[in-house]
Short mmCIF file of all heavy atoms in Angstrom, two decimals:
data_model
loop_
_atom_site.label_atom_id
_atom_site.label_comp_id
_atom_site.label_asym_id
_atom_site.label_seq_id
_atom_site.Cartn_x
_atom_site.Cartn_y
_atom_site.Cartn_z
N MET A 28 4.84 19.12 -31.62
CA MET A 28 3.46 19.48 -31.37
C MET A 28 3.32 20.99 -31.58
O MET A 28 4.10 21.77 -31.03
CB MET A 28 3.11 19.08 -29.93
CG MET A 28 1.67 19.04 -29.67
SD MET A 28 1.13 18.23 -28.14
CE MET A 28 2.48 18.19 -27.04
N THR A 29 2.33 21.39 -32.33
CA THR A 29 2.12 22.81 -32.59
C THR A 29 1.15 23.39 -31.58
O THR A 29 0.44 22.67 -30.89
CB THR A 29 1.58 23.02 -34.02
OG1 THR A 29 0.32 22.36 -34.11
CG2 THR A 29 2.53 22.47 -35.06
N SER A 30 1.10 24.70 -31.50
CA SER A 30 0.24 25.35 -30.51
C SER A 30 -1.25 25.20 -30.84
O SER A 30 -2.09 25.34 -29.98
CB SER A 30 0.60 26.82 -30.38
OG SER A 30 0.41 27.46 -31.63
N ASP A 31 -1.59 24.91 -32.11
CA ASP A 31 -3.00 24.75 -32.47
C ASP A 31 -3.45 23.29 -32.38
O ASP A 31 -4.57 22.96 -32.74
CB ASP A 31 -3.26 25.31 -33.86
CG ASP A 31 -2.48 24.58 -34.94
OD1 ASP A 31 -1.48 23.92 -34.60
OD2 ASP A 31 -2.86 24.69 -36.12
N SER A 32 -2.62 22.43 -31.85
CA SER A 32 -2.94 21.01 -31.73
C SER A 32 -3.92 20.77 -30.58
O SER A 32 -3.91 21.47 -29.57
CB SER A 32 -1.66 20.21 -31.48
OG SER A 32 -1.99 18.86 -31.27
N THR A 33 -4.77 19.78 -30.74
CA THR A 33 -5.70 19.41 -29.66
C THR A 33 -5.13 18.29 -28.80
O THR A 33 -5.79 17.83 -27.89
CB THR A 33 -7.05 18.96 -30.24
OG1 THR A 33 -6.82 17.86 -31.12
CG2 THR A 33 -7.73 20.09 -30.98
N ILE A 34 -3.92 17.87 -29.10
CA ILE A 34 -3.28 16.81 -28.33
C ILE A 34 -2.65 17.42 -27.08
O ILE A 34 -1.90 18.38 -27.14
CB ILE A 34 -2.20 16.09 -29.16
CG1 ILE A 34 -2.85 15.45 -30.39
CG2 ILE A 34 -1.49 15.05 -28.31
CD1 ILE A 34 -1.86 14.86 -31.36
N LEU A 35 -2.98 16.84 -25.94
CA LEU A 35 -2.43 17.32 -24.67
C LEU A 35 -1.25 16.46 -24.27
O LEU A 35 -1.26 15.25 -24.50
CB LEU A 35 -3.50 17.26 -23.58
CG LEU A 35 -4.75 18.11 -23.82
CD1 LEU A 35 -5.78 17.86 -22.73
CD2 LEU A 35 -4.39 19.58 -23.89
N PRO A 36 -0.24 17.05 -23.66
CA PRO A 36 0.90 16.24 -23.22
C PRO A 36 0.50 15.30 -22.09
O PRO A 36 -0.34 15.64 -21.24
CB PRO A 36 1.91 17.28 -22.74
CG PRO A 36 1.12 18.49 -22.45
CD PRO A 36 -0.08 18.45 -23.34
N PHE A 37 1.07 14.11 -22.09
CA PHE A 37 0.78 13.11 -21.07
C PHE A 37 1.55 13.44 -19.80
O PHE A 37 2.75 13.67 -19.83
CB PHE A 37 1.18 11.72 -21.58
CG PHE A 37 0.88 10.62 -20.62
CD1 PHE A 37 -0.42 10.23 -20.38
CD2 PHE A 37 1.90 9.98 -19.94
CE1 PHE A 37 -0.70 9.21 -19.49
CE2 PHE A 37 1.63 8.97 -19.05
CZ PHE A 37 0.33 8.58 -18.82
N ARG A 38 0.84 13.47 -18.68
CA ARG A 38 1.48 13.74 -17.40
C ARG A 38 1.87 12.43 -16.76
O ARG A 38 1.15 11.43 -16.84
CB ARG A 38 0.53 14.47 -16.46
CG ARG A 38 0.34 15.91 -16.81
CD ARG A 38 -0.35 16.62 -15.68
NE ARG A 38 -1.39 15.82 -15.09
CZ ARG A 38 -2.62 16.21 -14.88
NH1 ARG A 38 -2.98 17.40 -15.18
NH2 ARG A 38 -3.50 15.41 -14.33
N LYS A 39 2.99 12.42 -16.08
CA LYS A 39 3.43 11.24 -15.35
C LYS A 39 2.57 11.11 -14.09
O LYS A 39 2.18 12.11 -13.50
CB LYS A 39 4.89 11.36 -14.97
CG LYS A 39 5.82 11.41 -16.16
CD LYS A 39 7.24 11.59 -15.70
CE LYS A 39 8.15 11.80 -16.89
NZ LYS A 39 9.50 12.15 -16.49
N PRO A 40 2.29 9.87 -13.65
CA PRO A 40 1.45 9.69 -12.45
C PRO A 40 2.04 10.34 -11.21
O PRO A 40 1.30 10.74 -10.32
CB PRO A 40 1.39 8.17 -12.29
CG PRO A 40 1.72 7.62 -13.62
CD PRO A 40 2.62 8.62 -14.28
N GLY A 41 3.34 10.48 -11.12
CA GLY A 41 3.95 11.06 -9.93
C GLY A 41 3.97 12.58 -9.91
O GLY A 41 4.30 13.19 -8.90
N ASP A 42 3.62 13.20 -11.03
CA ASP A 42 3.61 14.67 -11.09
C ASP A 42 2.46 15.21 -10.25
O ASP A 42 1.31 14.81 -10.40
CB ASP A 42 3.46 15.17 -12.52
CG ASP A 42 4.68 14.93 -13.36
OD1 ASP A 42 5.73 14.60 -12.78
OD2 ASP A 42 4.59 15.05 -14.59
N VAL A 43 2.78 16.12 -9.36
CA VAL A 43 1.77 16.72 -8.50
C VAL A 43 1.52 18.14 -9.00
O VAL A 43 2.45 18.92 -9.16
CB VAL A 43 2.24 16.75 -7.03
CG1 VAL A 43 1.24 17.46 -6.16
CG2 VAL A 43 2.47 15.35 -6.54
N GLU A 44 0.26 18.44 -9.26
CA GLU A 44 -0.08 19.76 -9.78
C GLU A 44 -0.07 20.81 -8.69
O GLU A 44 0.33 21.93 -8.89
CB GLU A 44 -1.45 19.72 -10.44
CG GLU A 44 -1.51 18.86 -11.67
CD GLU A 44 -2.90 18.85 -12.26
OE1 GLU A 44 -3.74 19.68 -11.86
OE2 GLU A 44 -3.16 18.00 -13.11
N ASP A 45 -0.57 20.46 -7.52
CA ASP A 45 -0.68 21.43 -6.45
C ASP A 45 -0.40 20.75 -5.11
O ASP A 45 -0.44 19.53 -5.01
CB ASP A 45 -2.07 22.06 -6.45
CG ASP A 45 -3.17 21.04 -6.27
OD1 ASP A 45 -3.06 19.93 -6.84
OD2 ASP A 45 -4.13 21.32 -5.57
N PRO A 46 -0.13 21.53 -4.08
CA PRO A 46 0.19 20.94 -2.77
C PRO A 46 -0.95 20.10 -2.19
O PRO A 46 -0.70 19.09 -1.54
CB PRO A 46 0.48 22.15 -1.89
CG PRO A 46 0.80 23.26 -2.82
CD PRO A 46 0.06 22.96 -4.09
N LEU A 47 -2.19 20.49 -2.42
CA LEU A 47 -3.32 19.75 -1.87
C LEU A 47 -3.37 18.33 -2.42
O LEU A 47 -3.62 17.38 -1.68
CB LEU A 47 -4.63 20.48 -2.16
CG LEU A 47 -5.89 19.82 -1.62
CD1 LEU A 47 -5.81 19.67 -0.10
CD2 LEU A 47 -7.12 20.61 -2.01
N THR A 48 -3.11 18.17 -3.71
CA THR A 48 -3.09 16.83 -4.31
C THR A 48 -2.02 15.97 -3.67
O THR A 48 -2.25 14.80 -3.37
CB THR A 48 -2.85 16.94 -5.83
OG1 THR A 48 -3.89 17.73 -6.41
CG2 THR A 48 -2.85 15.57 -6.48
N GLY A 49 -0.86 16.54 -3.43
CA GLY A 49 0.21 15.80 -2.77
C GLY A 49 -0.17 15.37 -1.36
O GLY A 49 0.09 14.24 -0.94
N ILE A 50 -0.80 16.27 -0.61
CA ILE A 50 -1.24 15.96 0.76
C ILE A 50 -2.28 14.85 0.74
O ILE A 50 -2.22 13.91 1.54
CB ILE A 50 -1.79 17.22 1.44
CG1 ILE A 50 -0.65 18.21 1.69
CG2 ILE A 50 -2.50 16.88 2.74
CD1 ILE A 50 -1.11 19.59 2.12
N LEU A 51 -3.23 14.93 -0.18
CA LEU A 51 -4.28 13.90 -0.27
C LEU A 51 -3.70 12.55 -0.65
O LEU A 51 -4.09 11.52 -0.09
CB LEU A 51 -5.34 14.33 -1.28
CG LEU A 51 -6.19 15.53 -0.88
CD1 LEU A 51 -7.10 15.95 -2.02
CD2 LEU A 51 -7.01 15.21 0.36
N ARG A 52 -2.76 12.52 -1.58
CA ARG A 52 -2.14 11.25 -1.98
C ARG A 52 -1.36 10.63 -0.83
O ARG A 52 -1.42 9.43 -0.60
CB ARG A 52 -1.23 11.45 -3.19
CG ARG A 52 -1.99 11.63 -4.46
CD ARG A 52 -1.05 11.78 -5.63
NE ARG A 52 -1.82 11.93 -6.86
CZ ARG A 52 -1.34 12.41 -7.97
NH1 ARG A 52 -0.08 12.77 -8.05
NH2 ARG A 52 -2.10 12.53 -9.04
N ASP A 53 -0.60 11.47 -0.11
CA ASP A 53 0.16 10.96 1.03
C ASP A 53 -0.77 10.40 2.10
O ASP A 53 -0.51 9.34 2.68
CB ASP A 53 1.05 12.06 1.63
CG ASP A 53 2.20 12.42 0.72
OD1 ASP A 53 2.53 11.62 -0.18
OD2 ASP A 53 2.78 13.51 0.92
N GLY A 54 -1.87 11.11 2.36
CA GLY A 54 -2.84 10.63 3.35
C GLY A 54 -3.47 9.31 2.92
O GLY A 54 -3.65 8.41 3.74
N ALA A 55 -3.79 9.21 1.65
CA ALA A 55 -4.40 7.97 1.15
C ALA A 55 -3.42 6.80 1.25
O ALA A 55 -3.81 5.69 1.64
CB ALA A 55 -4.83 8.15 -0.31
N ARG A 56 -2.15 7.05 0.96
CA ARG A 56 -1.14 5.98 1.09
C ARG A 56 -1.02 5.52 2.54
O ARG A 56 -0.91 4.33 2.82
CB ARG A 56 0.20 6.48 0.58
CG ARG A 56 0.29 6.54 -0.92
CD ARG A 56 1.70 6.91 -1.37
NE ARG A 56 1.72 7.10 -2.81
CZ ARG A 56 1.82 8.29 -3.40
NH1 ARG A 56 1.97 9.38 -2.68
NH2 ARG A 56 1.82 8.37 -4.72
N ARG A 57 -1.01 6.49 3.48
CA ARG A 57 -0.91 6.12 4.90
C ARG A 57 -2.12 5.32 5.36
O ARG A 57 -1.98 4.34 6.08
CB ARG A 57 -0.75 7.38 5.76
CG ARG A 57 0.67 7.91 5.77
CD ARG A 57 0.88 8.92 6.89
NE ARG A 57 -0.06 10.02 6.85
CZ ARG A 57 0.09 11.14 6.12
NH1 ARG A 57 1.15 11.30 5.39
NH2 ARG A 57 -0.83 12.09 6.16
N LEU A 58 -3.32 5.73 4.93
CA LEU A 58 -4.53 5.00 5.30
C LEU A 58 -4.51 3.58 4.75
O LEU A 58 -4.89 2.62 5.45
CB LEU A 58 -5.77 5.73 4.81
CG LEU A 58 -6.17 6.97 5.60
CD1 LEU A 58 -7.32 7.69 4.91
CD2 LEU A 58 -6.55 6.60 7.02
N LEU A 59 -4.08 3.42 3.51
CA LEU A 59 -4.00 2.07 2.93
C LEU A 59 -2.98 1.22 3.67
O LEU A 59 -3.23 0.04 3.95
CB LEU A 59 -3.63 2.15 1.45
CG LEU A 59 -4.75 2.57 0.51
CD1 LEU A 59 -4.21 2.85 -0.87
CD2 LEU A 59 -5.83 1.52 0.47
N ALA A 60 -1.84 1.79 4.02
CA ALA A 60 -0.82 1.04 4.76
C ALA A 60 -1.35 0.61 6.12
O ALA A 60 -1.13 -0.52 6.56
CB ALA A 60 0.44 1.87 4.92
N GLN A 61 -2.08 1.50 6.80
CA GLN A 61 -2.65 1.15 8.10
C GLN A 61 -3.70 0.06 7.97
O GLN A 61 -3.77 -0.86 8.80
CB GLN A 61 -3.27 2.39 8.75
CG GLN A 61 -2.25 3.40 9.22
CD GLN A 61 -2.91 4.70 9.69
OE1 GLN A 61 -4.11 4.88 9.57
NE2 GLN A 61 -2.09 5.60 10.21
N ALA A 62 -4.52 0.13 6.93
CA ALA A 62 -5.56 -0.89 6.72
C ALA A 62 -4.94 -2.25 6.43
O ALA A 62 -5.39 -3.28 6.95
CB ALA A 62 -6.48 -0.47 5.57
N ILE A 63 -3.89 -2.28 5.62
CA ILE A 63 -3.23 -3.54 5.30
C ILE A 63 -2.58 -4.12 6.55
O ILE A 63 -2.66 -5.32 6.81
CB ILE A 63 -2.22 -3.34 4.16
CG1 ILE A 63 -2.96 -3.05 2.86
CG2 ILE A 63 -1.30 -4.55 4.01
CD1 ILE A 63 -2.08 -2.56 1.74
N GLU A 64 -1.94 -3.27 7.34
CA GLU A 64 -1.30 -3.73 8.57
C GLU A 64 -2.33 -4.28 9.55
O GLU A 64 -2.12 -5.34 10.16
CB GLU A 64 -0.53 -2.57 9.22
CG GLU A 64 0.20 -2.95 10.47
CD GLU A 64 1.32 -3.96 10.25
OE1 GLU A 64 1.89 -3.99 9.16
OE2 GLU A 64 1.61 -4.72 11.20
N ALA A 65 -3.46 -3.62 9.68
CA ALA A 65 -4.53 -4.09 10.58
C ALA A 65 -5.08 -5.43 10.10
O ALA A 65 -5.35 -6.32 10.92
CB ALA A 65 -5.64 -3.05 10.67
N GLU A 66 -5.23 -5.58 8.80
CA GLU A 66 -5.74 -6.85 8.25
C GLU A 66 -4.74 -7.98 8.49
O GLU A 66 -5.13 -9.10 8.85
CB GLU A 66 -6.02 -6.69 6.77
CG GLU A 66 -6.71 -7.90 6.18
CD GLU A 66 -7.16 -7.67 4.74
OE1 GLU A 66 -7.26 -6.53 4.30
OE2 GLU A 66 -7.42 -8.70 4.07
N ALA A 67 -3.46 -7.70 8.31
CA ALA A 67 -2.43 -8.72 8.56
C ALA A 67 -2.41 -9.12 10.04
O ALA A 67 -2.33 -10.30 10.37
CB ALA A 67 -1.06 -8.21 8.13
N GLU A 68 -2.50 -8.14 10.93
CA GLU A 68 -2.52 -8.44 12.36
C GLU A 68 -3.75 -9.26 12.74
O GLU A 68 -3.67 -10.18 13.56
CB GLU A 68 -2.45 -7.15 13.17
CG GLU A 68 -1.13 -6.44 13.09
CD GLU A 68 0.03 -7.26 13.66
OE1 GLU A 68 -0.18 -8.01 14.64
OE2 GLU A 68 1.13 -7.16 13.11
N ALA A 69 -4.90 -8.93 12.17
CA ALA A 69 -6.12 -9.68 12.46
C ALA A 69 -5.99 -11.13 11.97
O ALA A 69 -6.41 -12.07 12.66
CB ALA A 69 -7.32 -9.01 11.80
N PHE A 70 -5.40 -11.32 10.79
CA PHE A 70 -5.21 -12.66 10.27
C PHE A 70 -4.27 -13.47 11.17
O PHE A 70 -4.55 -14.62 11.50
CB PHE A 70 -4.65 -12.61 8.84
CG PHE A 70 -4.33 -13.96 8.28
CD1 PHE A 70 -5.33 -14.80 7.84
CD2 PHE A 70 -3.02 -14.39 8.18
CE1 PHE A 70 -5.04 -16.05 7.33
CE2 PHE A 70 -2.70 -15.63 7.67
CZ PHE A 70 -3.72 -16.46 7.24
N LEU A 71 -3.17 -12.84 11.59
CA LEU A 71 -2.23 -13.54 12.47
C LEU A 71 -2.87 -13.88 13.81
O LEU A 71 -2.63 -14.96 14.36
CB LEU A 71 -0.98 -12.68 12.69
CG LEU A 71 -0.07 -12.54 11.47
CD1 LEU A 71 1.02 -11.51 11.74
CD2 LEU A 71 0.54 -13.88 11.09
N ALA A 72 -3.70 -12.98 14.33
CA ALA A 72 -4.37 -13.24 15.60
C ALA A 72 -5.36 -14.40 15.46
O ALA A 72 -5.49 -15.24 16.35
CB ALA A 72 -5.08 -11.99 16.08
N ALA A 73 -6.05 -14.47 14.32
CA ALA A 73 -7.01 -15.55 14.09
C ALA A 73 -6.31 -16.89 13.94
O ALA A 73 -6.86 -17.94 14.31
CB ALA A 73 -7.84 -15.25 12.85
N MET A 74 -5.09 -16.90 13.43
CA MET A 74 -4.36 -18.14 13.21
C MET A 74 -3.42 -18.49 14.37
O MET A 74 -2.66 -19.44 14.28
CB MET A 74 -3.53 -18.02 11.92
CG MET A 74 -4.36 -17.79 10.67
SD MET A 74 -5.48 -19.14 10.30
CE MET A 74 -4.33 -20.39 9.78
N LYS A 75 -3.47 -17.74 15.45
CA LYS A 75 -2.54 -17.90 16.56
C LYS A 75 -2.54 -19.32 17.14
O LYS A 75 -1.51 -19.87 17.44
CB LYS A 75 -2.87 -16.88 17.67
CG LYS A 75 -1.91 -16.88 18.80
CD LYS A 75 -0.58 -16.30 18.36
CE LYS A 75 0.35 -16.17 19.55
NZ LYS A 75 1.72 -15.98 19.16
N GLY A 76 -3.68 -19.92 17.27
CA GLY A 76 -3.77 -21.25 17.88
C GLY A 76 -3.49 -22.40 16.94
O GLY A 76 -3.39 -23.55 17.37
N GLU A 77 -3.36 -22.13 15.65
CA GLU A 77 -3.12 -23.19 14.67
C GLU A 77 -1.68 -23.68 14.75
O GLU A 77 -0.74 -22.89 14.77
CB GLU A 77 -3.41 -22.67 13.26
CG GLU A 77 -4.84 -22.25 13.04
CD GLU A 77 -5.80 -23.42 13.04
OE1 GLU A 77 -5.44 -24.49 12.53
OE2 GLU A 77 -6.90 -23.26 13.58
N ARG A 78 -1.51 -24.99 14.82
CA ARG A 78 -0.18 -25.59 14.94
C ARG A 78 0.02 -26.65 13.87
O ARG A 78 -0.92 -27.27 13.38
CB ARG A 78 -0.03 -26.27 16.31
CG ARG A 78 -0.23 -25.36 17.48
CD ARG A 78 1.04 -24.70 17.80
NE ARG A 78 0.86 -23.83 18.97
CZ ARG A 78 1.76 -22.98 19.35
NH1 ARG A 78 2.88 -22.88 18.69
NH2 ARG A 78 1.55 -22.20 20.38
N LEU A 79 1.29 -26.86 13.52
CA LEU A 79 1.65 -27.96 12.63
C LEU A 79 1.71 -29.25 13.45
O LEU A 79 1.64 -29.22 14.68
CB LEU A 79 3.01 -27.67 11.99
CG LEU A 79 3.07 -26.47 11.05
CD1 LEU A 79 4.51 -26.21 10.63
CD2 LEU A 79 2.20 -26.70 9.83
N ALA A 80 1.88 -30.35 12.77
CA ALA A 80 1.92 -31.64 13.46
C ALA A 80 3.07 -31.72 14.46
O ALA A 80 2.97 -32.40 15.48
CB ALA A 80 2.04 -32.76 12.43
N ASP A 81 4.16 -31.01 14.20
CA ASP A 81 5.31 -31.05 15.11
C ASP A 81 5.24 -29.99 16.21
O ASP A 81 6.18 -29.82 16.97
CB ASP A 81 6.63 -30.95 14.34
CG ASP A 81 6.77 -29.64 13.59
OD1 ASP A 81 5.86 -28.79 13.66
OD2 ASP A 81 7.81 -29.46 12.92
N GLY A 82 4.13 -29.24 16.29
CA GLY A 82 3.93 -28.28 17.38
C GLY A 82 4.30 -26.84 17.05
O GLY A 82 4.04 -25.95 17.85
N ARG A 83 4.90 -26.61 15.91
CA ARG A 83 5.26 -25.23 15.55
C ARG A 83 4.02 -24.46 15.11
O ARG A 83 3.03 -25.05 14.68
CB ARG A 83 6.29 -25.22 14.42
CG ARG A 83 7.64 -25.78 14.83
CD ARG A 83 8.61 -25.77 13.67
NE ARG A 83 8.14 -26.71 12.64
CZ ARG A 83 8.33 -26.56 11.34
NH1 ARG A 83 9.00 -25.53 10.88
NH2 ARG A 83 7.89 -27.45 10.49
N ASP A 84 4.11 -23.12 15.19
CA ASP A 84 3.02 -22.28 14.71
C ASP A 84 2.83 -22.48 13.21
O ASP A 84 3.79 -22.55 12.45
CB ASP A 84 3.31 -20.80 14.97
CG ASP A 84 3.21 -20.43 16.44
OD1 ASP A 84 2.50 -21.14 17.18
OD2 ASP A 84 3.83 -19.43 16.83
N ARG A 85 1.57 -22.58 12.78
CA ARG A 85 1.28 -22.78 11.36
C ARG A 85 1.58 -21.50 10.56
O ARG A 85 2.09 -21.55 9.44
CB ARG A 85 -0.18 -23.18 11.16
CG ARG A 85 -0.54 -23.43 9.72
CD ARG A 85 -1.94 -23.99 9.58
NE ARG A 85 -2.06 -25.34 10.08
CZ ARG A 85 -1.73 -26.45 9.41
NH1 ARG A 85 -1.20 -26.35 8.22
NH2 ARG A 85 -1.88 -27.63 9.94
N VAL A 86 1.26 -20.35 11.12
CA VAL A 86 1.46 -19.07 10.43
C VAL A 86 2.32 -18.18 11.31
O VAL A 86 2.02 -17.98 12.48
CB VAL A 86 0.11 -18.37 10.14
CG1 VAL A 86 0.34 -17.03 9.47
CG2 VAL A 86 -0.78 -19.24 9.28
N VAL A 87 3.39 -17.66 10.76
CA VAL A 87 4.26 -16.73 11.48
C VAL A 87 4.57 -15.53 10.59
O VAL A 87 4.47 -15.62 9.37
CB VAL A 87 5.60 -17.39 11.92
CG1 VAL A 87 5.34 -18.50 12.93
CG2 VAL A 87 6.37 -17.91 10.75
N ARG A 88 4.94 -14.46 11.23
CA ARG A 88 5.33 -13.28 10.47
C ARG A 88 6.86 -13.23 10.48
O ARG A 88 7.48 -13.20 11.52
CB ARG A 88 4.76 -12.03 11.11
CG ARG A 88 5.02 -10.80 10.31
CD ARG A 88 4.26 -9.63 10.87
NE ARG A 88 4.32 -8.55 9.92
CZ ARG A 88 3.43 -7.58 9.85
NH1 ARG A 88 2.43 -7.57 10.69
NH2 ARG A 88 3.56 -6.65 8.97
N HIS A 89 7.43 -13.20 9.30
CA HIS A 89 8.89 -13.24 9.19
C HIS A 89 9.54 -11.87 9.16
O HIS A 89 10.73 -11.77 9.10
CB HIS A 89 9.30 -14.01 7.93
CG HIS A 89 9.04 -15.48 8.06
ND1 HIS A 89 9.78 -16.30 8.85
CD2 HIS A 89 8.10 -16.26 7.50
CE1 HIS A 89 9.33 -17.53 8.78
NE2 HIS A 89 8.30 -17.53 7.95
N GLY A 90 8.76 -10.82 9.18
CA GLY A 90 9.35 -9.49 9.17
C GLY A 90 8.50 -8.51 8.39
O GLY A 90 7.38 -8.80 8.00
N LEU A 91 9.07 -7.34 8.19
CA LEU A 91 8.37 -6.29 7.47
C LEU A 91 9.16 -5.91 6.24
O LEU A 91 10.38 -6.05 6.20
CB LEU A 91 8.25 -5.06 8.37
CG LEU A 91 7.46 -5.24 9.66
CD1 LEU A 91 7.54 -3.98 10.52
CD2 LEU A 91 6.00 -5.56 9.36
N GLY A 92 8.47 -5.41 5.26
CA GLY A 92 9.14 -4.92 4.07
C GLY A 92 9.69 -3.54 4.30
O GLY A 92 9.69 -3.02 5.41
N PRO A 93 10.15 -2.88 3.26
CA PRO A 93 10.70 -1.53 3.40
C PRO A 93 9.64 -0.58 3.92
O PRO A 93 8.49 -0.66 3.55
CB PRO A 93 11.11 -1.14 2.00
CG PRO A 93 10.87 -2.30 1.13
CD PRO A 93 10.19 -3.37 1.90
N VAL A 94 10.06 0.32 4.78
CA VAL A 94 9.13 1.28 5.37
C VAL A 94 9.27 2.61 4.68
O VAL A 94 10.24 3.03 4.22
CB VAL A 94 9.39 1.44 6.87
CG1 VAL A 94 8.47 2.46 7.48
CG2 VAL A 94 9.25 0.12 7.55
#
């Protein structure tokens, strides 16, 4: 690529230009994780009384993924 080219280099999605962008991305990730966790807990609470024919809970949480 020459210096008079109008082609710009492609940046990787993980490249952070400045500290503020990194802080905002980290905050957005935490908010999304909290929202997903709250939605999962609400779903489990709504399904708490549901049982299979043999008496076991219809919906259970088997664990968490990587943190």
Side-chain angles (χ1 to χ4, degrees):
M28 196 167 21
T29 62
S30 61
D31 62 340
S32 176
T33 58
I34 299 173
L35 299 175
F37 182 72
R38 285 193 320 231
K39 296 178 186 172
D42 289 347
V43 176
E44 294 179 13
D45 59 321
L47 180 59
T48 301
I50 291 169
L51 292 173
R52 285 182 179 162
D53 289 342
R56 285 186 186 107
R57 280 195 305 274
L58 285 173
L59 284 170
Q61 290 172 354
I63 291 168
E64 182 65 28
E66 187 172 342
E68 290 297 326
F70 176 75
L71 290 172
M74 299 297 289
K75 185 70 175 164
E77 297 291 322
R78 302 274 181 190
L79 295 173
D81 62 1
R83 293 179 293 148
D84 288 336
R85 182 173 290 278
V86 178
V87 295
R88 185 171 191 156
H89 288 288
L91 299 174
V94 178

